[in-house]
Amino acid sequence: LSALRSHLSGASWIEPEGGFFVSATLPGNVDGHGVWKHAKDYGLVLTDGRGFFPDGKGENFVRLPFCALSPDEMEEGIKRLAKAVGAHRR
């Protein structure tokens, strides 16, 4: 969560009390589909956020798993996501 606060300004998320992932929404001026489509270019594996919504409107939704990552790996992943988001601003 501290990495999100440090590197993803404009995004919003639900702070979990437990579980395996953080649900986050990228800023509205970001092409979320572009972030997902080019995630591998940044060393990320993301799921198309639209699949989490019955109406398909989750273009800017990302599900960030944290259960198998160290704090350093999480920090690096969020930094990479921030680069992808910066490259796909509208």
Side-chain angles (χ1 to χ4, degrees):
L1 295 173
S2 63
L4 287 169
R5 284 189 281 276
S6 295
H7 303 293
L8 273 180
S9 64
S12 61
W13 55 86
I14 298 169
E15 296 198 16
E17 293 182 26
F20 301 102
F21 60 89
V22 173
S23 296
T25 303
L26 303 176
N29 65 340
V30 172
D31 175 8
H33 185 72
V35 171
W36 166 73
K37 187 175 177 183
H38 297 284
K40 289 185 181 179
D41 297 343
Y42 298 90
L44 299 169
V45 177
L46 297 176
T47 302
D48 185 348
R50 296 175 296 183
F52 293 97
F53 293 80
D55 60 6
K57 292 186 179 181
E59 178 181 322
N60 282 23
F61 175 81
V62 289
R63 186 175 177 192
L64 304 171
F66 57 80
C67 58
L69 301 173
S70 72
D72 288 341
E73 291 171 321
M74 286 184 264
E75 178 88 18
E76 178 61 27
I78 297 301
K79 285 180 181 179
R80 292 178 187 188
L81 179 58
K83 286 180 185 177
V85 165
H88 290 89
R89 291 203 184 268
R90 295 179 192 171

